Structures are given as C-alpha cells and as structure tokens.
Amino acid sequence: MLSTTSMLTDQYELTMVQAAMGSGTAFRRSVFELFPRRLPEGRRYGVVAGTGRALDAIEDFRFDEETIAFLTSKKIINDEVAQWLADYRFRGNVWGYPDGELYFPGSPIMVVEGSFAEAVILETVLLSIFNYDSAVASAASRMTAMAGDRPCIEMGSRRTSEWAAVAAARAAYIAGFASTSNLEAGRTYGVPTAGTAAHSFTLLHDSEEDAFRSQLAALGNDTTLLVDTYNVTEAVKKGVELTNGRLGAVRLDSGDLVTQAIDVRRLLDSLGAVNTRIIVTSDLDEYQIAALRAAPVNGYGVGTSLVTGSGAPTCGFVYKLVSRADSDSSDAPLLPVAKKSANKGSIGGRKSALRRLDDNGIAEAEVIGVGAAPHPDRNDRVLLKHLVRDGEIIGREPLPAARERHQAARAELPSSAFKMSKGYPAIVTVMLDAEGDQTFNPYAPEK
C-alpha cells in the first residue's frame, strides 16, 4: 500500500488552505463533522465501517519531499504552504462511531477538531473510506441477517478495484461474514480466508473425476467440490464415491439454486453423505439469500452485490464545518456555522449522540444533541468514542471487537428493521438543542 495517504485527496483542499493562510483564517480552531443526511433509499439502517482504517489514514497523512516537490512543480501550492506541509501532523482531536456501530440520518459518525487547515485536508480521504466501507458493511449486514446462522463467504475481489477488495473484505467481516477469498485481507486485517477451486480447474483436467481426485489429494476430503461444470447429478455421485461418503461440501454456482439445492440434498442423503454441506454462489444478494432460507443450503458465497453495496455503492456521507473560532486565539469561543443550501443544509454546532433504548433494550431513537451532549436515560448508549487525543491515536481496537459490537447493536433493532421491502429508518432521529429541548430535524424522512 501507499506509504503516505496525503495525496488521496482533492486539490481544492490545499488551495483552500493556501487561500486561508493568505486571509489569516487558516489556523482558527474548527470542528468538522462527517455525517449522512439520509439512508440509501428504502434502507432501514446503516452500518459504520472504516473507523479503524480512517485512524490509520490520519496517522499516515504526511507530506514527504517527493510529494511536496510534485505539488510545487504543478503550482498547486506556494512556498508558504509547502513549508507548513513539510511539518504536517494532525495534532487535533477526533471522536467517532466505532466500527460495527449502526447509523441513521444525521448521525455524527466522525467529529474532527483542530485548526481549519489541519482538519480540512482530511476531508476526502475520510469520506473515501467511510462512504465505501460503510456501504459494503450495510449490504453485508442485510445479507448476514437473512442468512441467520448459515455462514456467508466474501468473494468479490474480482468485481472491484484491488485495494477496494481488501477494504470490502474487512467491512464484510465486521458485519458478520465468516471469511473472505482475499488473501491480502487475511494478511493485513486477520480476516479468515477460504477458497478451493474454480471451473477452470475442472476444465484443465481430462475428466471431472481426474480434477476431483487431484483436489481431494491436495486439500483432503473436507474440501468443497464445484459440481456444476458438466452434470450436477453425476458430479455429486462421483464426489461422494471418491470420498466414501465423507465429502465436506459441494458448491452450486448456476441455475435455479432453490430447486438444485433440494435435489442435491435428496441425492446426497440417498448416497449416505448426510453430513456433506451445500454451498451456493452465483450473483447472490440479500433478497436471494432470503429466498433460499427454506432451501437445504449450508452457506453462501457472495461477490458482486456485496462489493457494490447491493445497489447503494456509496452512503452519501458529507464532511462539513459546523463550528469555528473567530480568531486564532486558543481560548476563542467556537461559533456554530451551517450551510443553508436547499436539500443540502447542515446544522451548526458540535454534535453528540446516544442510542435511546426502551426497558427491553430495543432501540427507539438516535438522539443527537446540538451544542451539548444529551443526557442518557436509563440504559441508553453513548455512541461517540474518543479516537484521537492531541494527535495521538487512542481508539484502535482488534477487528473481532468491531464484529461483536455489530452483532450487539443489530440485536437492539426492532424486528421491522429486517424487512427486505423498502421502508423508513428503523428508528427515528431526534435533535435536541443545548437546553435539551427537541428542535427541528432537517434529516427526518418525508412521509
């Protein structure tokens, strides 16, 4: 991967810094927030993924000599900005929703406080990470919810760019996928990896039997044989014969998967291979997984739909300035600022958030305080975690913790959240002013 993340950005961030230095406003204390105005159409909840990757990106956001030479040679920055960038380190504070948490319209997923200059140039890289990773995790969560206790395998690397594939595997694992086919995701993030053989392996050999013998010799009887290259029935019979009924699994990758799964299960049982599992693939999404719940299927392999967000390839997150000081003085008070554009407005002032739960532990609302933190009521959960303190990363955690968090957060949702039909967010967003009174919420869905 890249040794620095500083060029994963848009030019206008550096031109803004240069102009702000010229006007004397670049080093005013500022607060930016990364948030969604809405969920993708018809979705009932979203899943945060990318927080850990964002912390890595902040830590690696540096401008080395080669980078600065490029920027100056293209006249993107002047000498004053070049000198400042040479010593750039983010020295501010960051709060955010941790990996695996759920989000709803208006959720302040990340709050970044520092000088205008040091915070504004993080905009693009943070949005790039959260918009993609959270889109994948949100789709993955819907899939694993429909799969229940049947494992899902991430296998979408060939359907996206090479490094997006690694991020997708990480996001899918957070949202409940059991493993990935992507080896770099295994090496970088510790995601469990899995894989056996494709149709080309069968076609390489003089017969399907030769291919199966070769795979079984290399990987053992517990491997998964791909049985739809020629004739499914004959392939299943041969796989069972070669393993004396101890074949680990068969994979179906085409045709009417429900009907085939029923027929193959009946065949396997008739041959005495009652413990042989059936894995299905072939452009699955959450709707097809739901349709397969009544079929005798033991696991799902998902690719294209997962890494493209299952119809919502981005979350529409934005990164907006919500507060700023009126001078460079360290004790200058923060003033709320807001964008007023039609359909693209924002709410001025620093936000805090909690998940309001009823007496049974079921989520009722996303409560967002503007200018002051809302007071928890009984068993409510505070959502923002301190991730960076004075430039030091303090919020890193192992990936399994994010996975466990997601399972717990999803378990709090009302049952209506898991309908596959289009609908409104599963819980309402409530905005409170600094006095704790309910105030106008521009992110409420129009009903």
Side-chain angles (χ1 to χ4, degrees), residues 20-21 24-29 80 84 115-118 327-328:
M21 283 186 176
T25 57
F27 302 111
R28 290 181 174 182
R29 189 161 62 104
E80 181 185 11
W84 178 73
S115 71
F116 175 85
E118 68 176 333
S327 73
D328 290 352

Side-chain angles (χ1 to χ4, degrees), residues 208-218 225 238 241-242:
E208 190 169 54
E209 180 177 346
D210 288 346
F212 286 178
R213 286 184 182 278
S214 176
Q215 183 176 332
L216 290 166
L225 296 179
K238 184 57 65 178
E241 176 189 335
L242 294 174

Side-chain angles (χ1 to χ4, degrees), residues 352-356 365-368 374-377 380-383:
S352 300
L354 56 81
R355 184 79 34 79
R356 176 136 294 161
E366 191 86 338
V367 181
I368 300 173
H375 295 294
D377 180 14
D380 297 345
R381 288 197 300 110
V382 174
L383 298 173

Side-chain angles (χ1 to χ4, degrees), residues 185-438:
R187 179 171 71 169
T188 301
Y189 298 116
V191 179
T193 60
T196 50
H199 290 102
S200 61
F201 182 77
T202 300
L203 296 170
L204 168 69
H205 291 79
D206 294 335
S207 70
E208 190 169 54
E209 180 177 346
D210 288 346
F212 286 178
R213 286 184 182 278
S214 176
Q215 183 176 332
L216 290 166
L219 302 178
N221 287 349
D222 198 45
T223 190
T224 300
L225 296 179
L226 181 56
V227 295
D228 69 343
T229 305
Y230 303 120
N231 180 282
V232 171
T233 298
E234 294 305 315
V236 170
K237 289 180 178 178
K238 184 57 65 178
V240 172
E241 176 189 335
L242 294 174
T243 59
N244 294 317
R246 296 192 298 272
L247 178 61
V250 296
R251 176 160 74 97
L252 301 172
D253 188 51
S254 59
D256 182 340
L257 295 177
V258 173
T259 300
Q260 280 202 84
I262 293 171
D263 291 343
V264 168
R265 182 73 269 158
R266 186 181 297 118
L267 176 59
L268 287 168
D269 292 346
S270 73
L271 296 171
V274 295
N275 295 319
T276 299
R277 304 179 305 279
I278 298 174
I279 307 300
V280 294
T281 54
S282 186
D283 291 326
L284 298 180
D285 60 17
E286 62 266 49
Y287 302 102
Q288 291 168 300
I289 292 173
L292 284 160
R293 282 192 292 186
V297 170
N298 301 100
Y300 310 91
V302 191
T304 303
S305 186
L306 176 65
V307 299
T308 57
S310 194
T314 180
C315 298
F317 295 151
V318 294
Y319 185 83
K320 298 299 179 185
L321 181 68
V322 296
S323 298
R324 54 89 174 167
D326 59 3
S327 73
D328 290 352
S329 174
S330 60
D331 59 356
L334 287 170
L335 307 175
V337 294
K339 182 179 175 182
K340 300 299 184 183
S341 306
N343 300 320
K344 286 191 174 184
S346 59
I347 298 175
R350 180 196 294 272
K351 315 298 185 304
S352 300
L354 56 81
R355 184 79 34 79
R356 176 136 294 161
L357 308 174
D358 67 15
D359 291 333
N360 297 313
I362 301 300
E364 292 183 317
E366 191 86 338
V367 181
I368 300 173
V370 183
H375 295 294
D377 180 14
R378 302 189 305 278
N379 56 349
D380 297 345
R381 288 197 300 110
V382 174
L383 298 173
L384 287 166
K385 309 294 184 183
H386 203 169
L387 303 173
V388 181
R389 179 185 292 120
D390 298 329
E392 179 186 356
I393 308 296
I394 61 171
R396 283 202 176 93
E397 63 180 8
L399 200 59
R403 183 178 171 89
E404 293 172 8
R405 176 182 297 108
H406 177 65
Q407 293 173 344
R410 193 172 68 180
E412 292 173 347
L413 290 176
S415 59
S416 61
F418 305 108
K419 294 179 180 179
M420 286 296 100
S421 57
K422 290 185 176 181
Y424 296 111
I427 61 175
V428 298
T429 299
V430 176
M431 309 292 293
L432 303 180
D433 61 22
E435 285 70 44
D437 297 323
Q438 191 163 336

